[in-house]
Amino acid sequence: MNRLQEDLHYLEEILEQAKLTGIDFLAQLETLSTSHQADEVKASKDLPEGGGALDALQLFKAHYLHLITASSGPRYWGFVTGGTTPAALIGDWLCSVFDQNPQSVTLNGDISAHIEHETIKLMRRLFSLPDSFNGSFVSGATLSNFTGLAVARQWAGEQLQHNIASDGMLPGIKVLSANPHSSVLKSLAMLGFGRNQLVQVKSKPHTESIDLDDLESLLAMYQDSPIILSASAGTVNTSDFDDLQAIAELKRQYKFWLHIDAAFGGFAACTPKYASLLQGWETADSITIDGHKWMNVPYDSAVAFVRHEHQNLQIQTFQNSNAPYLGNPATNFSFASNVPENSRRLRALPAWFSLIAYGREGFKNIVENSIQLAQQFGGFIAKSENFELLAPVKLNTVCFTLKHRKEQVDLYLDTLNKLGKVYLTPTVYAGQRCMRTAFVNWRTSANDLEIAKESMQQAYNTCFIS
């Protein structure tokens, strides 16, 4: 019996050992370190002969398990990183077990595309978005922004009587934004626009949101060109929202494609207190929503919403034109003709489990808890002798710096993160180097704030007092 057949024979024991490893990790998640150093890793020197799955598991435990950080834990506040709810974990494990590739809803065979369609419908209900939006799961906010902007590019080409997907890029298309996420700029690079060709819209004073007067002047200036506007529903530094209602009004006066990056800010729709921030987003042409942020499903997961009226443009952009075995995308819907990836894991399943398990009320509670904790942490920073709040806490992010040692932010952050109690990321706001925390994890509690405060004081003492 070869190793593969032997592993198949003992599959139940193998999965049981893997389950116990996972349970042990999750049981320690609140006390595990949030940071490790690269020089701690001991990589395998050569490809072994192969001793089977359990040998591989033991080797993993010996080399890597103790170095896996608590990035899904309650005090990992960098990069707007969520955790994994129990229901999402079920869905993700079963996703790997089933190993489906969601594609068509009309051809015989795999029915997983129907599960994805249902999950998209449930997400529209969660966000109170109209059924006029189609949705597809992709690997993250970067691919979601890429997808929306790729269809926008095809729309812009159509305005110039040119099929960009078939005949290539052409000049003359204007892309506007005030404070786009780095993934928007990355998408512009990949799509042939070029990062440096973004037309910068001014921000309102002391915010990261669009100055509407400047936006309207640019719309008037470029009205003879196809215009794509990338708006923000929650900037990464300060959770600022562009005035989507006012932009919707401008959309009635000027012709442009409205793409909204609502990677985490879209979840404000889950709570009545903050849902008004998204008024007007139903007029968008495309919307980015990230799952592995506030939805708390595992990496990698996001949704690209595109208005149904642009379905032909989306197919023109992503269709596999030389793959007759996929059917005619105009008459047989296939996710492979709506997003960049042809090979697609059933990313919808963790989201489906979470939506069914926790519903609207569950996500409302996650969002409101995060916002409340951000406000409490912001209050601590505002009253601190050592730190300075750089912007009001508007949603779930807190942007701050060292009060008296602004030039030593990197030193301080490095010291803090190495302590392993809390993880923060650096950023730049209003031209100065600073720090930012993002509260999105369902596990985070008021007790975690206290642990973080103690660690922050310890790092400060280490750097500047002792």
Side-chain angles (χ1 to χ4, degrees):
M1 185 183 297
N2 63 34
R3 291 293 186 191
L4 272 172
Q5 291 300 319
E6 188 175 335
D7 278 354
L8 180 61
H9 182 74
Y10 292 105
L11 184 59
E12 184 175 351
E13 179 184 348
I14 291 168
L15 293 180
E16 179 66 20
Q17 291 302 312
K19 182 191 79 172
L20 293 174
T21 301
I23 290 173
D24 185 58
F25 175 82
L26 292 173
Q28 301 178 63
L29 191 56
E30 293 192 4
T31 57
L32 289 175
S33 176
T34 56
S35 178
H36 285 293
Q37 305 306 304
D39 58 11
E40 298 177 68
V41 178
K42 296 178 181 179
S44 301
K45 295 181 179 179
D46 201 358
L47 182 66
E49 289 299 318
L54 287 177
D55 278 6
L57 179 60
Q58 292 307 313
L59 187 64
F60 174 81
K61 288 181 178 181
H63 281 200
Y64 301 120
L65 182 57
H66 63 291
L67 299 176
I68 300 295
T69 63
S71 59
S72 59
R75 293 184 303 281
Y76 196 92
W77 298 344
F79 305 113
V80 198
T81 300
T84 302
T85 62
L89 184 59
I90 294 173
D92 199 64
W93 278 2
L94 290 177
C95 173
S96 295
V97 170
F98 300 147
D99 196 22
Q100 305 292 291
N101 181 12
Q103 297 289 348
S104 175
V105 295
T106 55
L107 299 178
N108 292 330
D110 173 20
I111 58 88
S112 60
H114 290 274
I115 297 173
E116 185 162 341
H117 264 304
E118 181 183 348
T119 308
I120 292 297
K121 179 181 71 176
L122 294 173
M123 290 187 73
R124 286 197 302 261
R125 299 295 182 269
L126 179 68
F127 299 125
S128 299
L129 282 171
D131 290 341
S132 52
F133 283 96
N134 292 336
S136 307
F137 274 83
V138 291
S139 64
T142 299
L143 257 292
S144 181
N145 279 325
F146 178 91
T147 300
L149 292 170
V151 185
R153 186 187 66 172
Q154 190 70 1
W155 170 86
E158 186 178 61
Q159 310 311 300
L160 298 171
Q161 289 78 53
H162 183 81
N163 187 327
I164 292 177
S166 296
D167 302 321
M169 192 60 172
L170 77 173
I173 303 169
K174 304 299 181 183
V175 183
L176 282 58
S177 192
N179 286 283
H181 186 266
S182 61
S183 62
V184 171
L185 297 178
K186 186 173 187 176
S187 296
L188 295 182
M190 293 190 290
L191 288 166
F193 291 104
R195 295 183 182 92
N196 295 337
Q197 296 306 307
L198 178 77
V199 179
Q200 194 83 39
V201 185
K202 292 179 182 177
S203 300
K204 292 191 293 186
H206 311 297
T207 76
E208 291 185 317
S209 59
I210 282 177
D211 181 311
L212 292 167
D213 290 335
D214 189 55
L215 173 61
E216 183 164 13
S217 68
L218 290 170
L219 292 173
M221 180 187 304
Y222 296 126
Q223 61 182 324
D224 293 331
S225 301
I227 299 172
I228 300 167
L229 173 64
S230 180
S232 296
T235 58
V236 292
N237 286 332
T238 60
S239 302
D240 273 311
F241 282 66
D242 292 332
D243 189 336
L244 303 179
Q245 188 67 51
I247 291 173
E249 291 297 324
L250 289 173
K251 208 168 186 290
R252 295 185 178 95
Q253 303 173 49
Y254 301 92
K255 189 174 185 178
F256 61 91
W257 180 285
L258 175 57
H259 174 74
I260 299 178
D261 182 356
F264 68 89
F267 284 85
C270 297
T271 171
K273 186 175 180 180
Y274 293 91
S276 60
L277 292 169
L278 294 158
Q279 284 184 359
W281 76 327
E282 69 279 358
T283 66
D285 296 284
S286 54
I287 298 173
T288 286
I289 293 287
D290 207 334
H292 52 246
K293 289 183 169 61
W294 231 336
M295 196 173 201
N296 281 262
V297 301
Y299 280 103
D300 50 13
S301 177
V303 173
F305 284 109
V306 180
R307 295 191 76 84
H308 180 73
E309 66 190 76
H310 303 309
Q311 179 67 31
N312 288 338
L313 295 173
Q314 194 164 358
I315 290 173
Q316 290 170 20
T317 303
F318 295 115
Q319 67 179 316
N320 295 272
S321 56
N322 63 337
Y325 52 86
L326 294 177
N328 181 351
T331 56
N332 299 304
F333 177 89
S334 172
F335 282 107
S337 296
N338 280 259
V339 293
E341 304 122 314
N342 285 347
S343 301
R344 310 171 67 249
R345 72 194 305 265
L346 184 49
R347 294 188 182 97
L349 199 56
W352 184 90
F353 267 87
S354 288
L355 290 161
I356 296 298
Y358 309 121
R360 191 183 303 276
E361 187 67 19
F363 285 101
K364 173 178 174 288
N365 291 338
I366 292 174
V367 170
E368 290 183 348
N369 178 64
S370 297
I371 295 172
Q372 182 180 18
L373 292 171
Q375 291 171 342
Q376 291 176 14
F377 186 74
F380 157 71
I381 295 296
K383 296 175 183 177
S384 171
E385 296 179 357
N386 301 326
F387 305 105
E388 177 184 346
L389 194 63
L390 294 180
V393 179
K394 299 170 183 174
L395 197 68
N396 66 321
T397 59
V398 182
C399 189
F400 66 104
T401 190
L402 296 171
K403 184 172 287 186
H404 307 295
R405 303 174 186 272
K406 294 179 174 61
E407 72 285 355
Q408 294 178 291
V409 164
D410 287 339
L411 169 65
Y412 175 76
L413 261 184
D414 184 61
T415 304
L416 175 65
N417 289 337
K418 282 180 178 178
L419 292 175
K421 296 295 185 182
V422 62
Y423 191 90
L424 277 60
T425 41
T427 189
V428 175
Y429 176 69
Q432 63 177 305
R433 189 78 166 169
C434 52
M435 298 166 274
R436 188 215 60 197
T437 64
F439 293 85
V440 288
N441 194 302
W442 68 278
R443 291 175 176 265
T444 308
S445 68
N447 184 57
D448 293 302
L449 294 186
E450 297 307 312
I451 295 172
K453 292 174 190 178
E454 291 176 9
S455 188
M456 290 169 68
Q457 186 61 53
Q458 182 182 348
Y460 192 91
N461 293 344
T462 301
C463 287
F464 309 122
I465 297 176
S466 61

